[in-house]
Amino acid sequence: VTDQPVDGRQTPALDRQQPPTIYDIARATGFSASTVSRALHKPGRVGAATRGTIQETAAALGYRTNTSARALLTGRTGTFGLLVSDITNPVFFDLIRGAEQVTGQAGRTLVLGETRGDAELELTAASRLLTSVDGLVLVASRLADDDVRRLAARKPLVLANRALDGVTSVVPDAAAGVTAVVDHVVGLGHRAIAFLTGPDSWVSDARWQQIFDTAVARDVSIVEIRCGSTTVEGGRGSLPRVLAAGVTAVLAYNDLIAIGLLQACRDEAVAVPERLSIVGHDDIFGSDFTTPALTTVRIPFGPIGEQSVRRLLGRLDENEGDDVGRLAPSAPLGAELVVRGSTGPAPT
Amino acid sequence: VTDQPVDGRQTPALDRQQPPTIYDIARATGFSASTVSRALHKPGRVGAATRGTIQETAAALGYRTNTSARALLTGRTGTFGLLVSDITNPVFFDLIRGAEQVTGQAGRTLVLGETRGDAELELTAASRLLTSVDGLVLVASRLADDDVRRLAARKPLVLANRALDGVTSVVPDAAAGVTAVVDHVVGLGHRAIAFLTGPDSWVSDARWQQIFDTAVARDVSIVEIRCGSTTVEGGRGSLPRVLAAGVTAVLAYNDLIAIGLLQACRDEAVAVPERLSIVGHDDIFGSDFTTPALTTVRIPFGPIGEQSVRRLLGRLDENEGDDVGRLAPSAPLGAELVVRGSTGPAPT
DNA sequence: CTGAAAGCGCTTACAG
DNA sequence: CTGAAAGCGCTTACAG
């Protein structure tokens, strides 16, 4: 009755800078703030008519619950974090998207962080993120085991693309892919194989071990060739050592290296696959743009991202004593051989 | 004196589930919570010795300020949102990274959202994000002009890769790129050019208009060929229409289309560039994997992402009455022609 | 089914 | 330079 606008049709929200709060709705409907809160978020505990009035008024005022206030009270931010070493690494695209998708479906928000491959920066970033988030996915983390465990003790944490005892991990079934690759190459008659290594990382070590074991079991010779960097340039630069090693097939740690090697072969007129067969890994975007197109191992990164967030959601429910059983069943995370043009019969 | 552990060396923080608050620090140091808050965030307003004690204790307890509490009070979440239509679109990689980088440098956090190219979903997502964020970057938004303006009225908002009167926009200087491409092709003797169109979007329309005007000015014939979808498949499928049009050079809306066309040419034994010259746009990851490598226009997406966040930061300072002048100068956002193997002299 | 009250952790005038 | 007090918007036992 005091400073209300004369025009009764004008809603208060329109000439207000601050967004409306539950108190505005309470005032407008005549109910208490408690009832408004319940009508909006625990609709079962409120009369149907009351609920209707309140929800309509809320919609009319353009009410949105203040996430900070809720978070302060409940300790839940409605947010997950995802930390990757390199946002532009094509390997992570599908993973990020998968994670974003599941997060969104759960009505939550995904916060993205990048560590630029620096383990120290990763610890800082992870620690910071963890304070403002309900759970964290660490992708291909380079953190020391103990650091990971310490972080995992603070809040739900999932390790994507790395396994660590006592910490929830989502890892593709790489063994199947590696075995398939070696068998493919051996089946084509190759008897001398090289592995072009990646960085010092859990994934790279595990891969080499797998390849080594499989090759030995198949009774073909296997050597490791250190590749300066896991880039196209790195792959390019390794051609001399590949040729010197006298192998006829090369398994690269990743597609980027394989593509670099492919380019070097073209430049040096080394026929692929006639003289040298090349296999990549990951099936990144663009790996079928090359001539010949790259034979590679497809890792289901999308499902890994989805799965990681699902595990996070599962952990949250668990903490609340909710039903854990409703956790969606794991998508299969098996690697798959994709045969294209860069592999062929061994030269005779 | 009650349930304290006997071992005096054990810090309280260690056996506590909840993270420490300023009250824990206050208790430990004997100062009031107000002083702790000041020592931590307004170091100038507190005695040097006091500040030292408090900061040390905070570090020892592993204190981190509760972002929700601060946000509730100040209305600032320390967070920016970035909304893209498709996270996996390689065009956005560098943009996302650039935005993430500047956001991180400013001590803030980037929240990522994806709209799957759906304008309706985009409005919902943008509106939701806007409530929990200090500012929002909309990338290549498909929203109606008025919707964008309404959102911009709520909080600082920047439009990346789209221009709209009255809303802060960060757009590359596409004209330079288009002119350079047309001149490049005309310089090679081509007299009949086609533009393979993209989606119905601001960017696509602007591009076509530019190409059209330039071609007319150079007195070469220009036609528009509708491409079903802006994908490799779309490019592939358009080869028949390209051949039927009788042109000798094709400017594709983007690299994906160009790469598809390139693949179709290889399959159909249409020599590139001898019979047909092909130009892409954007210089996405992998556009140099093809044979021949793709001639294209490089758009500085990284700087666009950085710039967008800088503008957001600038808007925030403005609102606070801070010094706006310190806004970093714009990086040049000019497009640049990248000549590779897919363009050559016109057939005679 | 509904309301009054307390409190989440922090910041910020206001005093001193 | 430092402290007591109020309040940001919301949720949740506790009564009724």
Side-chain angles (χ1 to χ4, degrees), chain A residues 122 244 266 310 337-338:
Chain A
E122 186 179 350
R266 192 176 57 204
R310 286 220 185 81
L337 179 66
V338 181

Side-chain angles (χ1 to χ4, degrees), chain A residues 9-79:
Chain A
R9 298 226 233 98
Q10 192 164 0
T11 45
L14 284 181
D15 34 55
R16 177 178 302 213
Q17 276 296 31
Q18 301 300 329
T21 72
I22 54 169
Y23 290 97
D24 296 314
I25 302 176
R27 205 171 308 129
T29 58
F31 290 100
S32 74
S34 332
T35 303
V36 172
S37 174
R38 284 191 206 99
L40 260 20
H41 300 297
K42 321 234 157 157
R45 298 215 197 152
V46 129
T50 307
R51 190 194 319 147
T53 318
I54 290 177
Q55 287 181 344
E56 274 167 31
T57 310
L61 295 183
Y63 172 79
R64 303 178 168 281
T65 122
N66 181 319
T67 47
S68 306
R70 189 209 294 250
L72 175 56
L73 207 50
T74 62
R76 294 290 210 83
T77 62
T79 287

Side-chain angles (χ1 to χ4, degrees), chain A residues 175-342:
Chain A
V178 167
T179 308
V181 166
V182 175
D183 283 344
H184 168 62
V185 165
V186 169
L188 288 168
H190 296 269
R191 313 296 304 163
I193 304 177
F195 176 59
L196 266 181
T197 58
D200 289 328
S201 70
W202 184 87
V203 176
S204 183
D205 293 348
R207 194 117 88 220
W208 162 242
Q209 199 50 246
Q210 256 292 312
I211 289 175
F212 183 86
D213 291 348
T214 312
V216 168
R218 300 295 183 275
D219 199 27
V220 298
S221 73
I222 175 77
V223 294
E224 182 185 18
I225 297 180
R226 295 234 134 240
C227 194
S229 80
T230 52
T231 60
V232 171
E233 300 317 316
R236 253 198 161 106
S238 62
L239 180 58
R241 272 171 298 153
V242 168
L243 294 178
V247 299
T248 60
V250 176
L251 314 186
Y253 167 73
N254 69 13
D255 290 335
L256 250 25
I257 295 177
I259 289 169
L261 188 60
L262 215 50
Q263 291 182 350
C265 286
R266 192 176 57 204
D267 292 350
E268 303 298 323
V270 174
V272 176
E274 291 75 11
R275 179 156 157 215
L276 189 68
S277 281
I278 298 177
V279 184
H281 201 284
D282 297 343
D283 192 28
I284 61 170
F285 177 88
S287 62
D288 55 342
F289 291 173
T290 58
T291 307
L294 194 62
T295 293
T296 188
V297 178
R298 178 176 301 155
I299 298 290
F301 285 106
I304 292 176
E306 297 171 14
Q307 187 75 214
S308 300
V309 173
R310 286 220 185 81
R311 300 290 289 270
L312 234 34
L313 289 165
R315 294 280 310 279
L316 246 38
D317 287 349
E318 196 180 303
N319 289 349
E320 286 183 333
D322 275 20
D323 177 20
V324 186
R326 94 173 102 90
L327 194 62
S330 316
L333 297 180
E336 178 194 356
L337 179 66
V338 181
V339 177
R340 291 197 279 240
S342 66

